Amino acid sequence: MSVETRFQVLSLSGGGVRGLYTISVLATIEQSLADRYEKPDYCIADHFDLISGTSIGGILALGLASGLTARSLQELLDQNRKQIFYKSWLRRVPGLSAFAGAFKQGATSLYNQDKLRVVLEDAFGDKKVSDLRTRVVIPAVNGTTGLPKMYKSSHHPKFDIDHKLPLVDVALATSAAPTYFDPYIVDDRLMLDGGLIANSPSLIAYHEATHFLGQKPKDIRLLCVGTMGVQTTLNSDRLINSWGYLTGWGMGRKLIDLTLSSNEGMHNFITRQLLEERFVELDEPNTPEQSKSITLDNGNDPAAQMLKGRGKDKGQYAIGMDNVMSFFEHIPDTIIFHKGGKPYEVQRS
């Protein structure tokens, strides 16, 4: 009787504070498995051969690959959401918040990346990519060259650069969303949010698995977890000559939202066609009413409560899905990394 060969991928989408939904889904599943096996330190990442994430999904991917549990990452994001997306008192005043935000966004980025850096330094310390215990691929955009950049662990003999980088730098690079945060400088290059090219990194992860890791498509299983993103559309009632940067595009906010929404849909559509039933997605649409509060940067308590609640509901629903729970029957024995061209093994629990 032949043993099924599996190569499992976890793909985490971008979406700012909506990543609280993503990690709540995973934390709920992880807690169920921790209870089942009576292992309080159970880490859901140990079931995956490759983890890919964009923006907040990239931050979560790095955390999981470093050995942090989904439950601890949920707590980290929940406790620091207001610090990361800090709003001045003027931007919290009803009736003035939109005007104050537009004025600030016209002159500078909405948020200070230093606040996010503090949170990441507390979580990752001085760990580097070489300290990860799971393969990763993290999309970003190199604003200096205008080309995509994929930050990768050293899971291929030719990957001998990124493993030297601090996790904090990779996390800040993939999450530097234009108009929300300033570009982040890594090795003298201006780096931008990976969501500009792949808000869902599912197709990038598929390419990594087949092209660089030599996996056969029939052996790949991919679990994609979204962020309750809105399928952004344009209002055809708007006058044809009123599509200015401020009047039509909301100081760039609507343009960013449309970019994230459309390329996420494209990447998932193609990957689903390539993998068919081996592509499993956990996500749900943002309702018209809740979408007013559940945005990329609304870290207030009511919005967080909705994100956590819906994430827990989705996680509990997923526990009853055979095609989801089958992902957690597989644990890679070892992961092969390279340093100085020489391979070394990382044991899996």
Side-chain angles (χ1 to χ4, degrees):
M1 183 176 181
S2 62
V3 178
E4 181 186 28
T5 301
R6 275 191 174 221
F7 185 90
Q8 296 201 157
V9 178
L10 178 62
S11 173
L12 306 177
S13 297
V17 76
R18 294 200 313 259
L20 192 53
Y21 168 84
T22 310
I23 200 62
S24 294
V25 173
L26 294 175
T28 301
I29 297 172
E30 184 182 76
Q31 184 63 64
S32 174
L33 293 169
D35 292 341
R36 180 185 304 176
Y37 297 113
E38 298 182 345
K39 293 179 63 176
D41 59 347
Y42 197 99
C43 184
I44 203 170
D46 287 340
H47 295 282
F48 294 93
D49 300 271
L50 172 68
I51 304 178
S52 186
T54 299
S55 196
I56 184 59
I59 293 173
L60 297 175
L62 291 169
L64 290 169
S66 72
L68 297 176
T69 67
R71 289 159 291 167
S72 67
L73 287 167
Q74 181 195 41
E75 184 177 3
L76 178 76
L77 182 55
D78 193 22
Q79 289 182 346
N80 293 284
R81 52 189 158 80
K82 292 181 182 178
Q83 176 181 339
I84 297 169
F85 296 103
Y86 175 78
K87 291 180 172 65
S88 66
W89 69 269
L90 190 62
R91 291 184 59 208
R92 296 195 297 268
V93 176
L96 292 178
S97 59
F99 173 79
F103 181 81
K104 179 176 175 61
Q105 208 164 15
T108 185
S109 298
L110 274 174
Y111 302 102
N112 187 336
Q113 219 164 22
D114 289 343
K115 297 181 184 298
L116 176 56
R117 172 186 280 279
V118 170
V119 175
L120 294 172
E121 287 176 343
D122 286 343
F124 297 148
D126 59 358
K127 286 184 178 179
K128 293 182 168 66
V129 174
S130 58
D131 295 314
L132 297 178
R133 50 191 269 182
T134 304
R135 304 177 188 92
V136 298
V137 55
I138 309 293
V141 173
N142 185 336
T144 301
T145 63
L147 296 173
K149 165 64 182 176
M150 304 299 146
Y151 290 105
K152 302 179 184 182
S153 52
S154 57
H155 50 261
H156 188 281
K158 294 183 178 180
F159 298 167
D160 199 32
I161 300 295
D162 294 344
H163 71 90
K164 304 171 186 177
L165 293 173
L167 296 185
V168 171
D169 283 349
V170 177
L172 289 171
T174 188
S175 60
T179 76
Y180 291 93
F181 293 109
D182 292 343
Y184 185 72
I185 299 175
V186 180
D187 286 341
D188 299 319
R189 297 155 176 112
L190 293 170
M191 304 306 301
L192 300 167
D193 195 297
L196 295 174
I197 54 167
N199 200 50
S200 167
S202 57
L203 185 59
I204 286 170
Y206 173 87
H207 176 264
E208 193 71 19
T210 56
H211 185 75
F212 290 106
L213 292 169
Q215 298 298 317
K216 298 177 181 178
K218 68 179 181 63
D219 295 331
I220 298 172
R221 305 290 188 277
L222 191 147
L223 179 62
C224 174
V225 188
T227 62
M228 282 185 61
V230 178
Q231 186 172 335
T232 306
T233 58
L234 301 180
N235 184 357
S236 59
D237 290 337
R238 178 175 288 278
L239 296 176
I240 195 67
N241 62 350
S242 63
W243 285 99
Y245 189 69
L246 174 61
T247 58
W249 296 105
M251 295 304 293
R253 181 184 293 257
K254 293 180 182 177
L255 183 59
I256 296 296
D257 288 348
L258 183 61
T259 299
L260 301 182
S261 170
S262 58
N263 78 50
E264 180 170 1
M266 177 190 70
H267 282 260
N268 283 347
F269 178 80
I270 295 173
T271 311
R272 183 180 287 108
Q273 286 200 329
L274 290 168
L275 291 177
E276 299 178 330
E277 76 282 354
R278 300 185 303 281
F279 176 93
V280 179
E281 184 178 13
L282 294 177
D283 199 6
E284 51 192 324
N286 209 329
T287 67
E289 187 63 29
Q290 289 183 347
S291 66
K292 298 173 185 176
S293 296
I294 299 179
T295 63
L296 283 170
D297 62 337
N298 185 4
N300 70 22
D301 291 340
Q305 184 179 31
M306 283 189 283
L307 287 165
K308 289 185 291 184
R310 293 194 65 175
K312 289 176 183 176
D313 284 342
K314 190 67 174 181
Q316 290 170 0
Y317 178 77
I319 291 168
M321 299 170 62
D322 291 340
N323 64 339
V324 173
M325 298 311 290
S326 66
F327 278 91
F328 309 110
E329 298 170 358
H330 164 83
I331 297 181
D333 293 328
T334 59
I335 297 287
I336 305 297
F337 292 112
H338 300 266
K339 191 172 184 178
K342 297 179 180 179
Y344 66 95
E345 294 183 351
V346 174
Q347 298 292 329
R348 306 302 298 273
S349 59

